[in-house]
Amino acid sequence: MTEQSLKNAFLFRQPILDRQQELAGYQLSLRRSDELADERSVSRDAAALCAAYAELGMQSALGNARAFIGIDADYLRQEAIELLPASGVAIELNGVSVPDRVTLTRCQSLRERGYSLVLTDYRGIDDRSRPLLPMVEVIKIDVHAADPEQLQNFAGSLRKLPIKLLAQGVGSREQMERCRNLGFELFQGRYFAQAEIVSGRRLSAPQAALIRLVNLVGRDVDTAVIEDAFKHEPALTLNLLRVVNSVGCRGSRLAQPVTTLRHAITLFGRRQLQRWLSLLLLAPGSDGGDPARSPLLQVAALRGRMMELLIKHGPPGDHRKLADLAFITGILSMMPVALGLPITEILAQIAVERDVQLALSERRGVLGTLLALLECFDNDDAAGCDRLLSGLPGGFDRHTLNTCLSVALRWLNGNAA
């Protein structure tokens, strides 16, 4: 696979969540707009996918999240597989029929080298799966290819084996819950970003408080007004002081800790404060989960950062101001899912620039086109990505999008500024 052909495909990712609904990894796939958009066509060219993983520095970008990479029967025997980091990837055995002795020896060798093997297209214990069961760590079952009774039988027959079951193609939270009750431990899909949007839904008290604060910070009001609003939210006040006093916030320690709200707000800055409050709106409730691993929060932060990076590839201009607007646009685009409200009702409560409002409500302007592009990118829509890329001014292409994904993931995992 040449470098040029690598630049002609999109590197798509599908989140894989664990039983706590925290991010456990990504299914990576390469696809061009002229390919069929079905899961059976994903990762057909294993060499290109492995090359993309290396070229874009995905090991560093993904941090603790593993990359699930499809390997076909031919590429399985190539030594190039061993260039992939055993701790960072899970090798999916795609297109492997009834395994012969060479295939089984190769799988055993990879397992001994620390690689995790994933058996896909599972159809029950048969001549294909039986010899591979002692070697695989994960079995992937397509929930669309099996009816409820089959799913129950598959899970039951594997329950006593030290193997994790992964539900592929989960489209709703109800579907995820059914699979979890059957013993599945991993869930692939974007069901977490599918929420019921209801006009007039009442916000919880913490959500309403955050909306008020985001609105105040986005307007040209005196710091004293913002300070007074924070005083009515003790938990948020303590959280803000903790963040501002962290080394990561300022880049270096101050001689004395910040102990007053006014000092914290001034030191944090309006721009950073608005970003922080907006992200808090997407964080899960007090359910014991780690907000940093919330998939919805990660999608929002990643989308905001990618929009911010893509702005720099556009026509010359005031990139700093537009990049700030791009970041907040990306974050706010996930608010309807987080709050269960239409974007029009959310925008009526939050003060945003007109460019942001047009982007979110009508997908208009450069910000609107970039947002639509990243929505297609998140949904593995290669044709949609190509169409939107062709309408953007400046240096936007497939490779730019893939590179921005890698940089944004690295930033999200704390491996880059």
Side-chain angles (χ1 to χ4, degrees):
M1 179 61 63
T2 65
E3 180 181 355
Q4 183 61 37
S5 60
L6 179 59
K7 292 182 179 181
N8 287 336
F10 294 105
L11 180 63
F12 289 136
R13 73 211 181 279
Q14 266 201 6
I16 296 174
L17 275 57
D18 61 19
R19 289 181 66 86
Q20 288 69 48
Q21 299 305 284
E22 295 181 347
L23 186 67
Y26 287 104
Q27 165 82 58
L28 298 184
S29 61
L30 278 179
R31 193 180 299 147
R32 295 178 290 273
S33 57
D34 57 352
E35 291 182 319
L36 293 175
D38 63 79
E39 293 191 12
R40 293 184 183 276
S41 68
V42 170
S43 305
R44 291 186 303 186
D45 196 327
L49 186 56
C50 292
Y53 180 92
E55 180 181 319
L56 296 173
M58 295 305 291
Q59 180 182 9
S60 170
L62 293 178
N64 293 326
R66 282 199 298 181
F68 285 64
I69 296 180
I71 301 296
D72 56 37
D74 292 332
Y75 198 70
L76 178 65
R77 305 182 184 188
Q78 301 296 316
E79 292 184 1
I81 290 180
E82 295 171 39
L83 296 176
L84 297 172
S87 61
V89 301
I91 296 176
E92 296 189 345
L93 305 175
N94 289 347
V96 176
S97 56
V98 177
D100 56 22
R101 182 175 299 177
V102 175
T103 299
L104 292 174
T105 300
R106 178 59 169 156
C107 288
Q108 183 62 39
S109 174
L110 289 171
R111 186 188 180 198
E112 290 171 355
R113 285 172 166 79
Y115 288 92
S116 297
L117 301 181
V118 181
L119 181 61
T120 62
D121 299 321
Y122 182 74
R123 295 290 185 273
I125 298 177
D126 53 20
D127 290 342
R128 171 181 176 261
S129 64
R130 189 176 294 106
L132 290 170
L133 289 179
M135 305 181 197
V136 299
E137 178 182 319
V138 177
I139 287 181
K140 179 180 283 192
I141 300 175
D142 188 345
V143 297
H144 297 295
D147 58 39
E149 184 178 354
Q150 286 177 315
L151 284 177
Q152 185 171 357
N153 290 337
F154 289 163
S157 64
L158 298 169
R159 186 169 292 123
K160 294 182 179 180
L161 297 178
I163 293 175
K164 294 181 180 179
L165 298 185
L166 188 157
Q168 178 184 16
V170 180
S172 67
R173 186 164 292 276
E174 291 75 19
Q175 201 171 40
M176 179 276 295
E177 289 290 354
R178 284 198 298 270
C179 290
R180 183 159 64 176
N181 290 337
L182 290 175
F184 284 77
E185 295 189 46
L186 298 169
F187 312 88
Q188 179 180 330
R190 290 181 55 80
Y191 61 90
F192 62 86
Q194 311 298 322
E196 182 184 7
I197 309 299
V198 179
S199 181
R201 184 194 297 269
R202 294 195 62 175
L203 298 173
S204 66
Q207 289 172 333
L210 281 169
I211 288 280
R212 285 194 297 271
L213 282 165
V214 171
N215 193 6
L216 283 175
V217 174
R219 293 161 49 196
D220 187 21
V221 300
D222 189 79
T223 300
V225 178
I226 300 174
E227 182 182 6
D228 182 68
F230 262 101
K231 287 178 179 178
H232 289 84
E233 306 297 333
L236 272 178
T237 298
L238 290 173
N239 203 1
L240 176 62
L241 290 171
R242 179 186 60 79
V243 171
V244 172
N245 278 298
S246 69
V247 176
C249 172
R250 296 185 304 274
S252 60
R253 290 190 180 277
L254 294 180
Q256 298 293 330
V258 177
T259 57
T260 68
L261 262 174
R262 179 177 289 269
H263 191 188
I265 294 168
T266 302
L267 192 63
F268 209 17
R270 297 289 182 95
R271 170 173 164 265
Q272 286 298 113
L273 186 57
Q274 186 183 39
R275 291 185 177 194
W276 179 67
L277 290 169
S278 299
L279 285 171
L280 284 181
L281 270 169
L282 294 161
S286 56
D287 54 5
D290 179 4
R293 292 186 63 81
S294 160
L296 195 63
L297 189 73
Q298 293 210 351
V299 168
L302 187 66
R303 184 177 288 180
R305 180 59 174 155
M306 283 191 71
M307 288 190 66
E308 190 177 38
L309 292 168
L310 286 167
I311 285 296
K312 299 176 183 178
H313 292 273
D318 187 0
H319 284 168
R320 174 61 184 271
K321 177 175 174 57
L322 196 56
D324 284 346
L325 296 181
F327 188 91
I328 201 68
T329 300
I331 293 175
L332 293 178
S333 69
M334 299 304 297
M335 290 296 180
V337 177
L339 303 181
L341 284 172
I343 190 62
T344 51
E345 294 186 21
I346 295 172
L347 292 176
Q349 302 179 61
I350 298 179
V352 296
E353 301 252 2
R354 179 166 174 76
D355 287 346
V356 176
Q357 185 173 12
L358 290 174
L360 291 168
S361 58
E362 303 177 32
R363 300 302 184 266
R364 284 171 55 186
V366 173
L367 295 180
T369 303
L370 286 179
L371 176 56
L373 170 65
L374 292 185
E375 287 172 333
C376 287
F377 196 51
D378 284 344
N379 290 313
D380 298 0
D381 182 0
C385 288
D386 273 335
R387 175 177 54 81
L388 290 163
L389 282 172
S390 65
L392 282 167
F396 296 99
D397 56 24
R398 296 172 177 179
H399 191 258
T400 299
L401 197 57
N402 292 337
T403 301
C404 286
L405 169 64
S406 175
V407 174
L409 282 169
R410 195 171 292 112
W411 167 82
L412 190 64
N413 285 293
N415 294 326

